[in-house]
Amino acid sequence: MCGICGYWCPQIEDSGNTINKMLSTLQKRGPDSSDKWEDKEQGITIGHARLAVLDISDHGRQPMRSSNGRYLISYNGEIYNHNELRKALKKEKCQINWKSSSDTETILEAISYWGLDSALNKFIGMFSFCLWDKYEKKIFLVRDRLGEKPLFYYKKNNTLIFGSELRTIECHPYFIDKVSPRNLSEYLNYGYISKENTIYEICKQVEPGKILEIEYRKGFVIRDRSYWSILNKINNSNNHFIGNKEEAISELESLLLNTINGQMIADVPIGAFLSGGIDSSCIVALMQK
């Protein structure tokens, strides 16, 4: 559970202390190390707090740059099929001098070779990340298909701020913490705030399965697009199950085994939260199997 943060303030000179304050709020998410990257000419600063799971060496530290120098990423999550993606890149004669065994590097090189949208469709996992495209001068904020990993952002005038938690964004001196009465009412009524909204009027969250493409042209221009939708997946699927109850049980167990096996890849000890309920008991039993 890493943490990401950053800001893009093209017309504002930054002292450098702001990113350190933002990173301090993410220490519980990433206790192993923290680092930052900045481009003073563009006014961009990106930070990362790391929980080392795959490749716990310094080779897996972030923010990380792609081998071609085009992309830089700060990423939170895990790509369960990243070793298969490396094999696919090798099969397509993509010459990469891998520097680590981390899935972060796999993400960068997959995007460099296939492009962002095509690479996302190949990723199996949970993730949110900020991607800086040096050539196009654009930032991409991306969230996984079902929104397992959080990502918030705030845009006002010539300031863009983003982070894994709202309190991280609150640390920025240009953040205005005006609570939205409507969103507060929704939270008190239903226990959650829907869609891209948050407790604040201006601050939003990247919606599940979406890409925010952001560039600066005398002001920020934000375009959002979906790369995955559960409704589209259901409507366009050609893999509807046909079979009896016993076959359905067998198929479900096979799918669960495959999924859980993919999530047990780590360079550190792993475990499970066992509550005693059916779901966690099932997961632990299949992990043991």
Side-chain angles (χ1 to χ4, degrees), residues 127-257:
F127 52 86
S128 65
F129 60 80
C130 161
L131 183 76
W132 167 244
D133 185 336
K134 179 181 177 181
Y135 295 175
E136 297 289 337
K137 302 293 188 293
K138 293 179 181 179
I139 276 181
F140 297 89
L141 300 180
V142 184
R143 197 170 176 199
D144 61 54
R145 293 169 176 83
L146 295 178
E148 233 180 308
K149 292 299 181 180
L151 183 53
F152 301 91
Y153 69 99
Y154 172 92
K155 179 190 76 72
K156 186 174 177 63
N157 299 327
N158 293 317
T159 300
L160 173 74
I161 315 166
F162 57 88
S164 294
E165 298 185 5
L166 281 175
R167 65 175 185 163
T168 304
I169 295 175
E170 291 168 0
C171 288
H172 199 284
Y174 294 104
F175 174 75
I176 300 174
D177 57 346
K178 187 176 181 180
V179 171
S180 165
R182 179 176 181 177
N183 295 346
L184 175 60
S185 176
E186 184 178 22
Y187 178 76
L188 293 174
N189 276 294
Y190 303 110
Y192 67 93
I193 298 173
S194 62
K195 298 182 179 179
E196 78 278 10
N197 299 315
T198 71
I199 198 70
Y200 296 117
E201 281 195 352
I202 300 177
C203 194
K204 305 292 183 183
Q205 58 179 317
V206 180
E207 292 188 80
K210 282 200 172 184
I211 302 168
L212 294 190
E213 180 181 330
I214 307 168
E215 60 182 329
Y216 186 81
R217 294 181 178 178
K218 297 181 180 180
F220 285 107
V221 178
I222 300 181
R223 304 179 186 89
D224 71 273
R225 63 181 184 270
S226 295
Y227 67 88
W228 188 88
S229 163
I230 191 168
L231 291 178
N232 289 340
K233 183 69 174 178
I234 293 170
N235 293 332
N236 298 331
S237 176
N238 295 319
N239 298 316
H240 295 296
F241 178 80
I242 299 175
N244 58 36
K245 181 179 178 180
E246 288 71 25
E247 290 170 335
I249 292 172
S250 177
E251 177 68 9
L252 176 59
E253 182 175 2
S254 175
L255 290 170
L256 286 171
L257 275 169

Side-chain angles (χ1 to χ4, degrees), residues 67-99:
S67 60
N68 62 9
R70 175 173 181 172
Y71 298 107
L72 180 123
I73 197 171
S74 181
Y75 147 73
N76 168 33
E78 188 173 355
I79 304 299
Y80 306 128
N81 65 329
H82 91 98
N83 285 320
E84 287 75 16
L85 292 173
R86 291 194 177 203
K87 293 175 183 177
L89 287 167
K90 183 178 180 180
K91 189 175 181 180
E92 295 195 21
K93 309 299 182 183
C94 181
Q95 300 297 321
I96 301 171
N97 181 23
W98 298 104
K99 298 176 182 177

